[in-house]
Amino acid sequence: MSILSPTPEAIQAAAKSIRDGKLVVIPTETVYGLAGNAMDEQAVQLIYDVKGRPNDNPLIVHVSQTEQAKAIVREWPEMAEKLAEKYWPGPLTLVLPKKPSVPDCVTGGKETVAIRIPKHPIALKVISEAGVPVAAPSANIFMALSPTKAQDIEPEIDLEVEFILDGGPCEVGLESTVLDLTQSSPQILRPGGISRAEIQAILGRPLGHVPPGSIRAPGMYPRHYAPKATVILVDKLESNMPGLTFEQSENNLQIEMPSDSKSYGVRLYGALRQLDLKQVDKIYVQRPPQSEQWEAVMDRLQKASTSLA
Ligand code: TXA
Ligand code: MG
């Protein structure tokens, strides 16, 4: 595999690859991203092709400074300013009306663009050196588990990119929260690294609720983030079941998960991947508590356990 340590030379090379219309895998604090120049239609199309992702599923645009975000949107509401001040760089993506200069292919033909400033120092360096906004969906094949360390990148992705920059294990482990600021009431389209409570505290108002199970945006599919094995949610694991438990593990295919939601999120994809590697055909997951803190984890577990049929 072409994994490089993040030396200054490798960071420069990654930035140059992006400027030249090529793809690289970069670490972020959430998950590893498949990165290309967001303003280059061919590079963006390559991202869709490599992932096998439908073209109507918009990509998140990553920038290194708030000014760079403002330069690609038609409006920068007060709410965006407050949230950016508090949570950028960080795992919060804001959906805003796009300027015409943002290619339609990045936004899946929509008039809005999703933007964030990632917190990982290597991602920030690559983006600022590249000098262009960077489209970066998770570096996995469409619908599969997102990679949370360099070694998780599948060969299908590895073969199509210049190289993978190793930034160590991801600190958050789940994707960013996607917040739509284009509606009269702000709405979470995808729960993630920043919680509903954290956003509400900054905005001083409750966020709209989208009915569970509804497809909230193009690209929000009922099945997603799924391991190869079938995921089944249960109240408690029986001693012979492979899976994720909050209790003491009773066989070597049971993984004990942390009881706080953030640490659980950090471990989740890695734990599912570990069981996939052991080639189990079912992964039983002990249902987490039904509180708001667990919203992002529950979202991923629900999507992972939805069958395509
Ligand atoms: O944590 C993350 O956000 C990771 C890392 C690599 O930064 N990136 C990521 O990107 O998850 P991506 O492109 O896979 O996320 C895209 C999701 C879409 O599925 C869609 O739900 C939402 O973000 N999205 C993107 N653009 C949108 C738009 N214009 N309107 C509504 N939702 C949008
Ligand atoms: Mg993804």
Short mmCIF file of all heavy atoms in Angstrom, two decimals, residues 50-81:
data_model
loop_
_atom_site.label_atom_id
_atom_site.label_comp_id
_atom_site.label_asym_id
_atom_site.label_seq_id
_atom_site.Cartn_x
_atom_site.Cartn_y
_atom_site.Cartn_z
N VAL A 50 -14.36 6.64 -8.40
CA VAL A 50 -13.55 5.77 -7.54
C VAL A 50 -14.41 5.19 -6.41
O VAL A 50 -14.31 4.02 -6.06
CB VAL A 50 -12.34 6.55 -6.97
CG1 VAL A 50 -11.66 5.77 -5.87
CG2 VAL A 50 -11.35 6.87 -8.09
N LYS A 51 -15.30 6.00 -5.85
CA LYS A 51 -16.14 5.51 -4.76
C LYS A 51 -17.31 4.66 -5.25
O LYS A 51 -17.94 3.94 -4.46
CB LYS A 51 -16.74 6.70 -3.98
CG LYS A 51 -15.83 7.27 -2.92
CD LYS A 51 -16.54 8.34 -2.10
CE LYS A 51 -17.63 7.85 -1.19
NZ LYS A 51 -17.20 7.30 0.09
N GLY A 52 -17.66 4.81 -6.53
CA GLY A 52 -18.86 4.15 -7.02
C GLY A 52 -20.09 4.83 -6.42
O GLY A 52 -21.10 4.19 -6.13
N ARG A 53 -19.97 6.16 -6.24
CA ARG A 53 -21.04 6.89 -5.57
C ARG A 53 -21.94 7.57 -6.62
O ARG A 53 -21.43 8.15 -7.58
CB ARG A 53 -20.39 7.94 -4.67
CG ARG A 53 -21.30 8.94 -4.03
CD ARG A 53 -20.57 9.48 -2.82
NE ARG A 53 -21.04 10.76 -2.36
CZ ARG A 53 -20.79 11.21 -1.12
NH1 ARG A 53 -20.08 10.49 -0.28
NH2 ARG A 53 -21.23 12.38 -0.75
N PRO A 54 -23.26 7.50 -6.45
CA PRO A 54 -24.15 8.15 -7.42
C PRO A 54 -23.88 9.65 -7.49
O PRO A 54 -23.59 10.28 -6.47
CB PRO A 54 -25.55 7.89 -6.87
CG PRO A 54 -25.41 6.84 -5.82
CD PRO A 54 -23.98 6.86 -5.36
N ASN A 55 -24.01 10.20 -8.69
CA ASN A 55 -23.68 11.60 -8.91
C ASN A 55 -24.61 12.62 -8.24
O ASN A 55 -24.30 13.80 -8.18
CB ASN A 55 -23.64 11.90 -10.41
CG ASN A 55 -22.24 11.75 -10.94
OD1 ASN A 55 -21.83 10.63 -11.23
ND2 ASN A 55 -21.51 12.83 -11.02
N ASP A 56 -25.77 12.15 -7.77
CA ASP A 56 -26.68 13.11 -7.12
C ASP A 56 -26.43 13.18 -5.62
O ASP A 56 -27.19 13.79 -4.88
CB ASP A 56 -28.15 12.73 -7.39
CG ASP A 56 -28.51 11.38 -6.79
OD1 ASP A 56 -27.62 10.69 -6.25
OD2 ASP A 56 -29.69 11.01 -6.87
N ASN A 57 -25.35 12.55 -5.17
CA ASN A 57 -25.04 12.53 -3.74
C ASN A 57 -23.93 13.55 -3.47
O ASN A 57 -22.76 13.28 -3.70
CB ASN A 57 -24.60 11.10 -3.38
CG ASN A 57 -24.32 10.91 -1.92
OD1 ASN A 57 -24.16 11.87 -1.17
ND2 ASN A 57 -24.23 9.67 -1.50
N PRO A 58 -24.28 14.75 -3.01
CA PRO A 58 -23.32 15.86 -2.96
C PRO A 58 -22.14 15.60 -2.02
O PRO A 58 -22.26 14.87 -1.05
CB PRO A 58 -24.17 17.02 -2.43
CG PRO A 58 -25.35 16.42 -1.78
CD PRO A 58 -25.60 15.12 -2.47
N LEU A 59 -21.02 16.22 -2.35
CA LEU A 59 -19.79 16.04 -1.57
C LEU A 59 -19.60 17.21 -0.62
O LEU A 59 -20.03 18.33 -0.90
CB LEU A 59 -18.59 15.99 -2.50
CG LEU A 59 -18.62 14.97 -3.64
CD1 LEU A 59 -17.37 15.11 -4.51
CD2 LEU A 59 -18.72 13.56 -3.08
N ILE A 60 -18.91 16.97 0.48
CA ILE A 60 -18.58 18.06 1.40
C ILE A 60 -17.30 18.75 0.91
O ILE A 60 -16.32 18.09 0.54
CB ILE A 60 -18.42 17.54 2.84
CG1 ILE A 60 -19.78 17.04 3.34
CG2 ILE A 60 -17.85 18.62 3.76
CD1 ILE A 60 -19.76 16.39 4.70
N VAL A 61 -17.33 20.08 0.92
CA VAL A 61 -16.19 20.87 0.50
C VAL A 61 -15.43 21.30 1.76
O VAL A 61 -16.01 21.86 2.69
CB VAL A 61 -16.66 22.09 -0.31
CG1 VAL A 61 -15.49 23.02 -0.64
CG2 VAL A 61 -17.36 21.63 -1.60
N HIS A 62 -14.13 21.02 1.76
CA HIS A 62 -13.29 21.33 2.92
C HIS A 62 -12.42 22.55 2.62
O HIS A 62 -11.79 22.61 1.57
CB HIS A 62 -12.40 20.13 3.26
CG HIS A 62 -13.18 18.89 3.64
ND1 HIS A 62 -14.00 18.24 2.76
CD2 HIS A 62 -13.27 18.22 4.80
CE1 HIS A 62 -14.56 17.20 3.37
NE2 HIS A 62 -14.13 17.16 4.62
N VAL A 63 -12.39 23.47 3.56
CA VAL A 63 -11.55 24.66 3.42
C VAL A 63 -10.68 24.80 4.67
O VAL A 63 -10.89 24.09 5.66
CB VAL A 63 -12.42 25.94 3.18
CG1 VAL A 63 -13.18 25.85 1.86
CG2 VAL A 63 -13.39 26.17 4.33
N SER A 64 -9.71 25.73 4.61
CA SER A 64 -8.82 25.86 5.77
C SER A 64 -9.08 27.13 6.57
O SER A 64 -8.55 27.30 7.66
CB SER A 64 -7.35 25.79 5.33
OG SER A 64 -7.09 26.81 4.40
N GLN A 65 -9.91 28.02 6.00
CA GLN A 65 -10.23 29.27 6.72
C GLN A 65 -11.67 29.68 6.46
O GLN A 65 -12.19 29.45 5.37
CB GLN A 65 -9.33 30.39 6.22
CG GLN A 65 -7.93 30.28 6.78
CD GLN A 65 -7.02 31.33 6.20
OE1 GLN A 65 -7.21 31.78 5.08
NE2 GLN A 65 -6.04 31.72 7.00
N THR A 66 -12.25 30.36 7.44
CA THR A 66 -13.64 30.81 7.30
C THR A 66 -13.80 31.72 6.08
O THR A 66 -14.81 31.64 5.36
CB THR A 66 -14.11 31.51 8.59
OG1 THR A 66 -13.93 30.59 9.67
CG2 THR A 66 -15.57 31.90 8.51
N GLU A 67 -12.79 32.55 5.81
CA GLU A 67 -12.87 33.45 4.64
C GLU A 67 -13.07 32.67 3.34
O GLU A 67 -13.76 33.11 2.44
CB GLU A 67 -11.59 34.29 4.53
CG GLU A 67 -11.48 35.38 5.59
CD GLU A 67 -12.77 36.18 5.75
OE1 GLU A 67 -13.27 36.69 4.73
OE2 GLU A 67 -13.28 36.29 6.88
N GLN A 68 -12.41 31.50 3.29
CA GLN A 68 -12.50 30.65 2.09
C GLN A 68 -13.92 30.08 1.95
O GLN A 68 -14.41 29.90 0.83
CB GLN A 68 -11.50 29.50 2.26
CG GLN A 68 -10.73 29.14 1.03
CD GLN A 68 -9.84 27.93 1.29
OE1 GLN A 68 -9.55 27.55 2.45
NE2 GLN A 68 -9.38 27.31 0.22
N ALA A 69 -14.56 29.83 3.08
CA ALA A 69 -15.96 29.36 3.04
C ALA A 69 -16.85 30.49 2.54
O ALA A 69 -17.69 30.30 1.65
CB ALA A 69 -16.39 28.89 4.42
N LYS A 70 -16.64 31.68 3.08
CA LYS A 70 -17.48 32.82 2.70
C LYS A 70 -17.37 33.11 1.21
O LYS A 70 -18.30 33.61 0.60
CB LYS A 70 -17.08 34.07 3.49
CG LYS A 70 -17.46 33.98 4.96
CD LYS A 70 -17.11 35.29 5.65
CE LYS A 70 -17.20 35.16 7.15
NZ LYS A 70 -16.67 36.33 7.84
N ALA A 71 -16.19 32.81 0.64
CA ALA A 71 -15.96 33.12 -0.77
C ALA A 71 -16.76 32.23 -1.72
O ALA A 71 -16.87 32.53 -2.90
CB ALA A 71 -14.47 33.00 -1.08
N ILE A 72 -17.30 31.11 -1.22
CA ILE A 72 -18.02 30.22 -2.13
C ILE A 72 -19.52 30.15 -1.84
O ILE A 72 -20.22 29.33 -2.43
CB ILE A 72 -17.40 28.79 -2.17
CG1 ILE A 72 -17.36 28.15 -0.78
CG2 ILE A 72 -15.99 28.83 -2.78
CD1 ILE A 72 -16.94 26.69 -0.79
N VAL A 73 -20.00 30.99 -0.92
CA VAL A 73 -21.44 30.99 -0.62
C VAL A 73 -22.07 32.34 -0.97
O VAL A 73 -21.39 33.37 -0.99
CB VAL A 73 -21.73 30.65 0.86
CG1 VAL A 73 -21.24 29.25 1.18
CG2 VAL A 73 -21.12 31.68 1.81
N ARG A 74 -23.38 32.31 -1.24
CA ARG A 74 -24.09 33.55 -1.57
C ARG A 74 -24.52 34.30 -0.31
O ARG A 74 -24.74 35.49 -0.33
CB ARG A 74 -25.32 33.24 -2.42
CG ARG A 74 -25.00 33.14 -3.91
CD ARG A 74 -26.25 33.08 -4.76
NE ARG A 74 -26.90 31.79 -4.65
CZ ARG A 74 -28.08 31.57 -4.09
NH1 ARG A 74 -28.76 32.57 -3.59
NH2 ARG A 74 -28.59 30.36 -4.03
N GLU A 75 -24.72 33.54 0.79
CA GLU A 75 -25.12 34.17 2.05
C GLU A 75 -24.31 33.58 3.18
O GLU A 75 -24.01 32.38 3.15
CB GLU A 75 -26.60 33.87 2.34
CG GLU A 75 -27.57 34.63 1.47
CD GLU A 75 -28.93 33.95 1.49
OE1 GLU A 75 -29.37 33.49 2.58
OE2 GLU A 75 -29.53 33.85 0.41
N TRP A 76 -24.00 34.40 4.12
CA TRP A 76 -23.29 33.94 5.32
C TRP A 76 -24.08 34.43 6.53
O TRP A 76 -23.83 35.51 7.05
CB TRP A 76 -21.85 34.47 5.31
CG TRP A 76 -21.04 34.00 6.49
CD1 TRP A 76 -20.71 34.73 7.60
CD2 TRP A 76 -20.48 32.70 6.68
NE1 TRP A 76 -19.97 33.96 8.46
CE2 TRP A 76 -19.82 32.71 7.92
CE3 TRP A 76 -20.48 31.52 5.93
CZ2 TRP A 76 -19.15 31.59 8.43
CZ3 TRP A 76 -19.82 30.40 6.42
CH2 TRP A 76 -19.16 30.44 7.66
N PRO A 77 -25.09 33.65 6.93
CA PRO A 77 -25.96 34.14 8.01
C PRO A 77 -25.25 34.22 9.36
O PRO A 77 -24.21 33.58 9.57
CB PRO A 77 -27.09 33.11 8.05
CG PRO A 77 -26.61 31.92 7.29
CD PRO A 77 -25.49 32.35 6.41
N GLU A 78 -25.82 34.99 10.24
CA GLU A 78 -25.33 35.16 11.61
C GLU A 78 -25.11 33.79 12.29
O GLU A 78 -24.13 33.58 13.01
CB GLU A 78 -26.39 35.99 12.36
CG GLU A 78 -26.10 36.27 13.83
CD GLU A 78 -24.90 37.18 14.03
OE1 GLU A 78 -24.64 38.01 13.14
OE2 GLU A 78 -24.24 37.05 15.08
N MET A 79 -26.04 32.86 12.02
CA MET A 79 -25.91 31.53 12.63
C MET A 79 -24.63 30.83 12.18
O MET A 79 -23.97 30.14 12.96
CB MET A 79 -27.12 30.65 12.26
CG MET A 79 -28.36 30.99 13.04
SD MET A 79 -29.68 29.76 12.81
CE MET A 79 -30.21 30.14 11.15
N ALA A 80 -24.29 31.01 10.91
CA ALA A 80 -23.06 30.40 10.38
C ALA A 80 -21.85 31.01 11.09
O ALA A 80 -20.92 30.30 11.49
CB ALA A 80 -22.96 30.62 8.88
N GLU A 81 -21.88 32.31 11.26
CA GLU A 81 -20.77 33.01 11.90
C GLU A 81 -20.56 32.48 13.33
O GLU A 81 -19.44 32.15 13.73
CB GLU A 81 -21.07 34.52 11.92
CG GLU A 81 -19.98 35.39 12.50
CD GLU A 81 -18.68 35.36 11.67
OE1 GLU A 81 -18.75 35.11 10.45
OE2 GLU A 81 -17.62 35.57 12.28
#
